[in-house]
Amino acid sequence: MKFSENTASFLIAFLVIFIGFQIQTFVIYPVESLLRPDEYVNYASLVFIPHGIKIMVVMLIGPIIWPLIYLAQLLSGYIYSGDLINSLFSSGVGTFAVVIPAIMLNASLKRSIWAAPVFYRDINISIIWTYISLSVMASFFNSLLHAMYFGIDDLILPYLYFSGDVIGSILVFAILLGVVRPILLKIK
Amino acid sequence: MTNVRFYLGLLKMTSDAADEAGLSGLTNADRDVLLLVWEQYADGTVEKEIQCDAILEQAAELGKKISKAQFYKSMKTFEKLDIVERVNSPRSQTYVFKA
């Protein structure tokens, strides 16, 4: 899959990820701040939807989309925090975490490492289980690497990162089936 | 064509997932065909040869317009959703009603 032949799809993917981060920042974080009494609310979201969106995009376009995932996350992180160094690292981890499981899946199925799982031609995979597997693996990488980087002593935080990523992924998948699919079927 | 890849992928992803989750709904035409097919089994027969022409005639009697293409498309959907199962050969018109 070449970038030049799929410019629109790559740009849509970038926009979808970027918008996902904006929804997280301007809708979900404030709502969580209002509803959650715990002290971790400022550090870890329990519904982190960009994670699910990134998994969806990797399944649709393939791991080759990684530069745009990185860019979308970097831009969103920098706009939100104004901290370039942390944004550079956090985006790297966020991208690595979702891309590596997809590359591992492709390699284990003897596909091109950049292949998009949704478009495997000669093998019938379960979309739901592939999405869940990639999401859980990516959540592990993401939470552990973030915990290592920040030198977190508090053992609860990595679990919160992990839970937030998984819950966010489930929510994104439910929205895909319940909202996006009926719209797609109408415009087909 | 390649530029609609995101749309097509999303459509395929959500449709496959809905099928796996048993959420893919039947269209109105599918429901009409299903009703007529179901009536074929009213006599208690387990395996039945479902003739397209007979179903279309029956539909016409009821004032419903169903095309041959729609009939085969619906039967494929029922097989996919595990409502009916084709027995004997893959080209056989004999089905077992499972639902």
Side-chain angles (χ1 to χ4, degrees), chain A residues 1 5-9 12 60 118-119 126-128 173 176-177 181 184 188, chain B residues 2-3 5-7 9-18 20-21 23-24:
Chain A
M1 190 179 186
E5 291 171 358
N6 296 279
T7 321
S9 295
I12 291 169
L60 289 175
V118 168
F119 288 103
S126 161
I127 293 293
I128 295 178
F173 205 72
L176 278 177
L177 285 186
R181 182 170 171 267
L184 291 175
K188 190 159 70 165
Chain B
T2 48
N3 272 335
R5 186 184 171 94
F6 193 88
Y7 165 76
L10 204 52
L11 189 63
K12 186 176 184 307
M13 186 178 178
T14 53
S15 296
D16 287 359
E20 284 172 37
L23 296 174
S24 57

Side-chain angles (χ1 to χ4, degrees), chain A residues 98-156:
Chain A
V98 295
V99 166
I100 292 301
I103 287 177
M104 286 162 67
L105 175 73
N106 283 336
S108 66
L109 293 172
K110 296 183 179 174
R111 297 295 182 277
S112 155
I113 57 164
W114 304 120
V118 168
F119 288 103
Y120 288 156
R121 280 167 196 257
D122 52 347
I123 184 169
N124 187 17
I125 58 160
S126 161
I127 293 293
I128 295 178
W129 282 107
T130 304
Y131 180 88
I132 291 171
S133 307
L134 293 180
S135 168
V136 170
M137 276 196 280
S139 303
F140 268 120
F141 280 131
N142 199 33
S143 56
L144 288 177
L145 288 172
H146 269 102
M148 279 168 66
Y149 175 71
F150 291 119
I152 294 162
D153 298 329
D154 194 334
L155 284 176
I156 291 178

Side-chain angles (χ1 to χ4, degrees), chain B residues 12-63:
Chain B
K12 186 176 184 307
M13 186 178 178
T14 53
S15 296
D16 287 359
D19 283 348
E20 284 172 37
L23 296 174
S24 57
L26 300 174
T27 62
N28 285 338
D30 287 336
R31 287 194 191 95
D32 286 341
V33 175
L34 185 61
L35 208 62
L36 294 167
V37 170
W38 171 244
E39 284 172 4
Q40 301 290 309
Y41 293 83
D43 59 2
T45 315
V46 179
E47 286 182 13
K48 195 106 186 176
E49 189 174 353
I50 304 294
Q51 294 286 351
C52 172
D53 290 340
I55 296 288
L56 298 191
E57 265 180 40
Q58 215 179 331
E61 281 171 21
L62 295 169

